[in-house]
Structures are given as structure tokens and as C-alpha cells.
Amino acid sequence: GSVLLVTTLIAATIGLASVATLYGGLTAGSKGRETLLPLLMLPVLAPVLIGATRATESAFRTNGIEVGEGWPWLGLLAVFAVLFSVVGAVAFGPLVDE
């Protein structure tokens, strides 16, 4: 349970940070970026929030959910974190230059 919880926290943090960095760079030069950024990020962050919630639920064994049911959700978080970290690293230079 505790291994699942710690790895969920790390993967969710990386996922949230990578999406925020990518979309922050995307909206940095636009007018109304304070309004635009949350509207763009919410649909993209939904899988991270759902996956982190389900994996944490499983780590704490709430509602009769076993620990084994949380590992697929952690896999989703890991794929999401790696995908957006790579896309963010590749796209960050061109986004900042514009």
C-alpha cells in the first residue's frame, strides 16, 4: 500500500507539473492568459486527477478496493507523466522563442 501511494504521489506530481509547464509556455504570450490557462489545462488534467484518485483509493483500501486494483491507474499516470514530459521538453524551446 505505501509503495503504491508514494509512487502515485510522485507520478501525479510530475504529470501535473509537466502539463502546467507546457501549457504555461503555450499561453505565455497571449492576452487573457490568466483565464485561458485553466480552461486549456482542465480537460488535459482530468486523466491525471482521476488516475491519482483511484490509485490513492486503492492504496488506502477504501470502499473495499484492493491494492492490486491501483497499479493499472499508476501505469496510466506514469505514461501520462512521461508523455507530457517528453512533449514539453521537445516543444519548450519553440514555444519560448515565439
Side-chain angles (χ1 to χ4, degrees):
S2 60
V3 173
L4 177 63
L5 182 63
V6 170
T7 53
T8 298
L9 293 175
I10 291 169
T13 302
I14 292 170
L16 288 170
S18 60
V19 169
T21 302
L22 179 64
Y23 279 93
L26 183 69
T27 61
S30 64
K31 291 183 180 179
R33 63 182 168 261
E34 295 85 11
T35 306
L36 188 60
L37 185 61
L39 292 174
L40 288 174
M41 283 181 49
L42 184 61
V44 178
L45 288 178
V48 173
L49 298 175
I50 292 170
T53 302
R54 298 295 183 173
T56 305
E57 229 177 22
S58 176
F60 287 129
R61 295 185 180 129
T62 56
N63 299 328
I65 298 172
E66 293 300 319
V67 173
E69 296 177 32
W71 292 107
W73 291 106
L74 181 62
L76 172 73
L77 286 173
V79 167
F80 195 88
V82 168
L83 177 71
F84 270 91
S85 295
V86 169
V87 169
V90 169
F92 189 75
L95 285 176
V96 172
D97 289 341
E98 291 179 4

